Amino acid sequence: MATRVVPNAVTDEVIAALERALGREKVLTDFGARVARTRVPAPFPVHRFADHMPDVVVLPESAEEVSAVLRIANEYRVPVVPRAGGTGLADGAVPLHKGILLDIKKMNKILDLDLVNRTVTVQPGLNMLKLNEFLAPYGVFYPDDPASYPVSIIGGRIGTSGWSLIGARYGHTRDLVISLQVVLPTGEIVRLADGGGAPKVRKASTGYNLKQLFIGTQGTLGVVTEATLELFPKPEAELAAFFGYESFEDAYRSTGALSTSGLGTLAAVILFDERKVEYLRRDDEAYIPLPERIKAVVATALYGVEEEVRAAAQRLHRIAKETAGEYLGDELSAGDWASRHDRYATPLHGRLPDGTVVPMSWHCEDAAIIYSELPAIKQKWHEITDRYIQKYGIFDNWGMFFYSNNPYKGWGDYLVEIDIGIWEQALNEETWQAWVNLKREITRATLEHQGSISACHGACREGDAEFIPVEMSEGGFELMKRIKRLLDPNNILNPSKNYLHLAYVDEEMGGAS
Amino acid sequence: MKTVRKGVVLRREDLHVFEVDPSMMTRVPQDVTDREQALIVRNRWEYLDWMHRHFAHKTIVLSEVSDAPSHGTGQVSH
């Protein structure tokens, strides 16, 4: 038997056990099924594709079937990696030790709609767009709105503790989940809420708040099989207003003023830096006509009752004008805002240093950074990225965004992202390692500026994960390791993700308790 | 087709379709007909309208409720 750090390989015996438990039609071993679930849209070491391909794919339809898979995995000590929409940008669903790929997409039923108490209970394989189409005739909606809104899936949103574009008004995934049913790594099925176990109660002081422990685990602590979610009235009105500035410094100050305006309908404030505007002026039709003197942009959006939105828009405009902003127009504002719900539809290309177009995959390096540190982190991240572009020539700097990152308010910390194109077809081991080193430098800068490695994607990738013990050095990572060992004694659930192989290395070496 | 700025051309004045200068597209050449391009543009606007309706019953623009100009800085007029 292998150590628990590196679990066993899947054998024919394991596949036979899975087929007996689920039925043959829910157990896939063909190459197509496995290769389609090997990677996610984030840049990938394509020259090492086979290292990450799962051995078998299972498609359970109930908590009991998930439980059966996990019990078999424990018996044979083989890895299980849960996967939802496969749209994540931090490799949470990418197998690090091959094994069983547990695809939740067939668990897509709506189980209960409670309009009196404003909740909906669903299986985790459902997509938010499809859920909102179902909810629309009832005048309610579920406002979890990532850039992958049409294609991402509720279970993945819970697994990554996702960020929502309109979270400053409605909250983010963790704020919108009321309770969960979870299958633990050893196969037990449990129901968890905000303290206590009442599935539709939002705020309780009974027992531990175990629900939050299972949000953002990247599939390392359990598999969510049901979620009860918050419903809001579908907004009567939306208004998006984009403002241009002649310097980043003006736009930064304006972002602060708009974020702290106190407007209750304010759903988002997004700052675009100079490099982002340069990139958009180069490659995005909406921004090509923008004059060169516009160096930075701030996007805002309001949602709510029409009278409130109209009144708030006047105040918003006044603040923007007082802080050197000029309105960029109705068409750009409304059109670009609508497109932000679906950035995955954007065909990706980038430029080589001479301007030649090549297909590139999109890397979005994200972090959570407090307002006061935004200018300094911008400068450092660009210096790092440009140095690697100059040396290797297969990356492209697509600029930075700074998004309001906190629930029910515009201020606080910001989701900071630098978008970098990577010409994957030109990757080899040397350039892949260069890419990982670039990420490491960005992560170090984040920690130097009191930030957290990731605001929404997760810190699971090489270049990020090894810094989790650094960021959580005051006992937090030690506690994570103990919790992981307690709930997953055989290290079968998404092993080695989040650097949690250390939980077992320490134990096997007789180290940490 | 006219050059708008270095590396960018305006292919269809009626549809305001900008494109990368074809001399920079030699590695990934594209052959899109005028009809296909018109369809893409129309479908994109329909999709954005649908997305607005999906998230709210009504879309309000800033020029309706304040002294903001409907055609802002750099916007192409239709």
Side-chain angles (χ1 to χ4, degrees):
Chain A
M1 178 148 313
T3 67
R4 283 176 295 171
V5 178
V6 181
N8 291 337
V10 170
T11 59
D12 290 345
E13 199 179 344
V14 174
I15 291 170
L18 292 169
E19 287 177 343
R20 281 194 300 276
L22 305 183
R24 294 188 71 167
E25 72 283 1
K26 296 179 190 174
V27 180
L28 311 176
T29 54
D30 63 283
F31 179 79
R34 293 184 294 124
V35 76
R37 294 169 175 88
T38 297
R39 66 170 294 185
V40 292
F44 189 75
V46 286
H47 58 292
R48 287 198 261 115
F49 213 94
D51 294 353
H52 298 282
M53 198 183 307
D55 299 304
V56 57
V57 174
V58 294
L59 295 158
E61 294 187 50
S62 67
E64 290 71 25
E65 289 186 348
V66 171
S67 174
V69 172
L70 294 178
R71 287 180 194 279
I72 291 166
N74 270 284
E75 183 183 345
Y76 293 95
R77 297 201 175 179
V78 294
V80 178
V81 179
R83 183 180 176 100
T87 58
L89 297 174
D91 287 3
V94 173
L96 296 179
H97 301 286
K98 304 186 175 186
I100 302 169
L101 193 297
L102 193 157
D103 189 324
I104 63 163
K105 281 199 282 295
K106 279 197 165 183
M107 300 176 67
N108 60 358
K109 295 182 185 63
I110 296 167
L111 304 171
D112 175 60
L113 174 63
D114 183 345
L115 292 172
V116 175
N117 296 301
R118 299 269 159 167
T119 66
V120 65
T121 300
V122 301
Q123 288 188 307
L126 189 67
N127 159 255
M128 287 83 73
L129 185 150
K130 288 293 171 193
L131 174 60
N132 280 326
E133 284 183 339
F134 168 79
L135 296 171
Y138 304 99
V140 293
F141 93 136
Y142 176 62
D144 191 13
D145 180 22
S148 54
Y149 177 78
V151 287
S152 57
I153 280 176
I154 289 165
R157 299 288 294 157
I158 295 169
T160 54
S161 190
W163 168 92
S164 170
L165 183 64
I166 52 178
R169 170 81 166 86
Y170 296 104
H172 300 283
T173 309
R174 63 174 198 188
D175 310 299
L176 296 165
V177 174
I178 300 169
S179 66
L180 296 170
Q181 182 192 63
V182 178
V183 183
L184 299 179
T186 42
E188 296 101 316
I189 301 171
V190 297
R191 189 168 293 280
L192 306 168
D194 187 293
K200 295 182 183 177
V201 170
R202 279 78 163 177
K203 166 72 180 74
S205 295
T206 315
Y208 296 156
N209 184 346
L210 294 173
K211 174 194 74 178
Q212 295 294 6
L213 180 60
F214 287 84
I215 297 178
T217 69
Q218 303 282 353
T220 59
L221 281 191
V223 179
V224 171
T225 45
E226 256 184 53
T228 298
L229 308 172
E230 189 74 73
L231 296 180
F232 280 75
K234 183 170 175 178
E236 282 180 16
E238 66 164 11
L239 183 144
F242 284 48
F243 302 101
Y245 300 80
E246 295 194 0
S247 75
F248 175 80
E249 290 71 24
D250 283 344
Y252 170 67
R253 281 190 290 273
S254 190
T255 297
L258 290 161
S259 297
T260 54
S261 61
L263 295 170
T265 51
L266 186 64
V269 180
I270 310 169
L271 167 61
F272 305 34
D273 82 341
E274 308 96 318
R275 300 291 293 273
K276 178 60 75 179
V277 172
E278 273 176 34
Y279 162 71
L280 294 170
R281 203 185 269 123
R282 184 190 79 182
D283 277 334
D284 185 318
E285 284 189 313
Y287 290 87
I288 284 170
L290 210 59
E292 298 282 347
R293 66 182 174 79
I294 298 295
K295 303 295 185 196
V297 168
V298 177
T300 59
L302 305 167
Y303 281 86
V305 172
E306 183 171 350
E307 291 87 337
E308 288 180 322
V309 168
R310 285 178 177 275
Q314 291 172 10
R315 175 71 72 94
L316 203 68
H317 188 209
R318 196 181 81 204
I319 296 169
K321 281 197 292 189
E322 287 170 358
T323 50
E326 55 184 290
Y327 184 52
L328 296 182
D330 295 339
E331 184 178 290
L332 185 147
S333 297
D336 189 85
W337 182 254
S339 77
R340 293 205 166 266
H341 304 296
D342 183 14
R343 302 310 275 181
Y344 280 49
T346 309
L348 298 177
H349 72 265
R351 307 293 190 101
L352 299 179
D354 67 358
T356 303
V357 171
V358 292
M360 285 197 174
S361 62
W362 168 43
H363 178 70
C364 173
E365 184 78 19
D366 83 308
I369 306 280
I370 52 178
Y371 178 74
S372 60
E373 301 302 301
L374 301 185
I377 207 76
K378 173 178 84 82
Q379 188 179 342
K380 280 196 181 172
W381 281 19
H382 281 310
E383 281 172 5
I384 294 165
T385 304
D386 291 345
R387 186 157 29 85
Y388 280 85
I389 290 173
Q390 200 169 16
K391 183 163 182 188
Y392 293 96
I394 63 166
F395 310 126
D396 191 13
N397 188 336
W398 296 346
M400 290 177 68
F401 285 126
F402 308 81
Y403 298 88
S404 45
N405 187 43
N406 295 139
Y408 317 124
K409 55 184 177 289
W411 65 85
D413 44 272
Y414 285 73
L415 188 185
V416 176
E417 71 174 52
I418 185 164
D419 297 308
I420 304 171
I422 300 187
W423 189 15
E424 275 190 358
Q425 289 150 311
L427 277 174
N428 55 33
E429 195 53 33
E430 182 199 358
T431 48
W432 177 255
Q433 286 309 321
W435 165 245
V436 172
N437 287 333
L438 185 162
K439 283 175 57 56
R440 287 193 179 112
E441 289 199 43
I442 282 177
T443 303
R444 279 194 201 99
T446 297
L447 297 179
E448 284 164 12
H449 287 273
Q450 309 166 55
S452 183
I453 300 167
S454 175
C456 60
H457 301 150
C460 323
R461 311 194 79 197
E462 195 182 359
D464 290 334
E466 58 265 44
F467 290 93
I468 297 176
V470 179
E471 183 177 329
M472 301 181 73
S473 61
E474 293 186 41
F477 190 66
E478 287 304 313
L479 190 55
M480 265 179 68
K481 290 193 298 187
R482 283 189 225 167
I483 293 169
K484 173 69 172 169
R485 277 204 307 269
L486 176 70
L487 295 182
D488 189 6
N490 293 320
N491 193 23
I492 58 103
L493 202 49
N494 215 352
S496 302
K497 205 59 62 72
N498 278 359
Y499 230 53
L500 281 166
H501 58 285
L502 290 184
Y504 305 90
V505 170
D506 290 346
E507 191 184 41
E508 287 175 7
M509 293 181 68
S513 57
Chain B
M1 189 179 295
K2 72 176 184 189
T3 300
V4 175
R5 61 163 53 95
K6 189 181 172 206
V8 179
V9 297
L10 179 62
R11 175 167 148 183
R12 293 277 302 270
E13 196 116 23
D14 55 334
L15 294 173
H16 305 290
V17 173
F18 298 102
E19 284 182 359
V20 177
D21 185 328
S23 69
M24 294 176 172
M25 295 287 288
T26 50
R27 285 177 185 266
V28 279
Q30 292 193 54
D31 184 15
V32 180
T33 67
D34 281 359
R35 182 174 170 278
E36 287 167 338
Q37 196 153 52
L39 273 175
I40 291 167
V41 171
R42 195 186 72 199
N43 290 347
R44 183 68 178 156
W45 282 113
E46 283 177 359
Y47 181 63
L48 294 178
D49 286 345
W50 177 89
M51 198 57 99
H52 283 303
R53 293 289 73 74
H54 185 76
F55 276 88
H57 292 293
K58 184 175 189 178
T59 300
I60 302 171
V61 290
L62 194 59
S63 65
E64 269 179 68
V65 297
S66 74
D67 60 357
S70 63
H71 282 75
T73 308
Q75 189 166 311
V76 187
S77 51
H78 285 274

